[in-house]
Amino acid sequence: MSTTHKEYLLQSEPNKFSLEHLRAGEMIVNMGPQHPSTHGVLRLEVVTDGEIVQEVAPHIGYLHRCFEKHAESMAYNQTIPYVDRMDYLAAMNSEHVWCMGVEKLLGITDQIPKRVEYIRVLVTELNRLASHFLAIGTYAIDIGAFTPFLWLLRDREHIQRLLEWTSGARMLYNYIWVGGLYYDLPIGFEERCREFIHYLKPKLDELDTILLTNKIFIDRTANVGVLPLDVAINYGCSGPMLRGSGLRHDLRRVDGYSVYPELEFDVPIGEGIMGTTGDCWDRNYVRALECRESVKIISQCLDRLLGEHKRTPDFDPQAACPKKLRMTGTQELYFRGETPRGELGYFFRTTDRSDVPFRCHGRAPSFVNLSVLPEISRGCMVADLIAIVGSVDIVLGEVDR
């Protein structure tokens, strides 16, 4: 075998670390890829010295969605089902960002009816709740608490049924279309959704009692996996990862897209209440507080959808949907929005009169947030590494795109 072939073989090795570089007492441990503990098909290559983690290398690519090449081979409105399959736990949020980006390219942002905008925000905030419920529930299992997982999955099921009633699909919706919606809300949806919100509010109080203020949970998460604010910014972290480190940065407020500027809600941040600002407890705390803010947003949307923007017999949610998407001239655009995991952005490069993008790139928050894992895991215990991975809240379909 030639020297060149040997070099290629070494470059394709599945491990980053080699036995030759280990010091006395160190060993290489592979964690994953499996769903429990690593939250999907993620493999962690860990160098340990006894129970202490010296280095961590995340290995990805086990769930490649091929999203960008799909997007570059079909029309903008045909790509929405593939957008759903990136972050499959928050498909409505991903659809919303994609459609707003395409609408800005087409110059039809101002043509979207207000009822459509409020329905979009309503379903995306419901999906944000469902995503955070799963994130907090599975994280509780990582720490060893089983009851919160059952409770949160029970309440998430109510949301899944509401969204299934709206779109016909349980998780991958294809509901938000370029220029409008697949269909209006079912008759009685607003009233049923308000009943659910009334039911949910005391359940969020129970979650605080059983999990967030639980002594065992605090001991396992406080002062663990501390992410300093400057490190979070330098790595490009966003969402609860960034806000958990103390920066009040939410694109719904910063960019003010859709009808979010018309709604009242707070942007919670980590404050180091139980440990150090930016630790695992703070990230979980921010997600729990965001659930309460989503409830506020949903209530305001329902008020408007039953008030000044109520349904009428002549309302057509597809009225502004272009029959054929034709771009004018060559354009480049980066559009971003706030999903449950942070800043989801799409870069488009269009060609004149074509309904297929020349180039499309997805900026996935899970991918960027995962990159900080080696930085916040160095020097922790092996058992704490599971707690740190869970606090990042990754979706591997989005990581691998």
Side-chain angles (χ1 to χ4, degrees), residues 335-398:
F335 193 89
R336 62 183 186 173
E338 189 74 32
T339 72
R341 270 149 282 282
E343 178 183 330
L344 173 64
Y346 295 109
F347 170 79
F348 303 93
R349 179 178 292 165
T350 72
T351 51
D352 191 25
R353 309 300 297 169
S354 175
D355 62 345
V356 178
F358 176 78
R359 179 75 177 97
C360 179
H361 172 70
R363 190 267 188 204
S366 292
F367 177 79
V368 181
N369 291 344
L370 181 61
S371 68
V372 82
L373 181 65
E375 192 71 31
I376 61 178
S377 300
R378 202 171 288 118
C380 74
M381 305 287 283
V382 172
D384 289 338
L385 180 59
I386 304 301
I388 295 171
V389 172
S391 73
V392 178
D393 183 23
I394 52 173
V395 172
L396 267 297
E398 186 177 72

Side-chain angles (χ1 to χ4, degrees), residues 115 194 301-311:
R115 179 170 174 82
R194 199 183 289 282
C301 288
L302 291 173
D303 290 339
R304 287 163 172 79
L305 290 171
L306 290 169
E308 61 264 39
H309 304 299
K310 63 183 178 182
R311 70 176 74 241

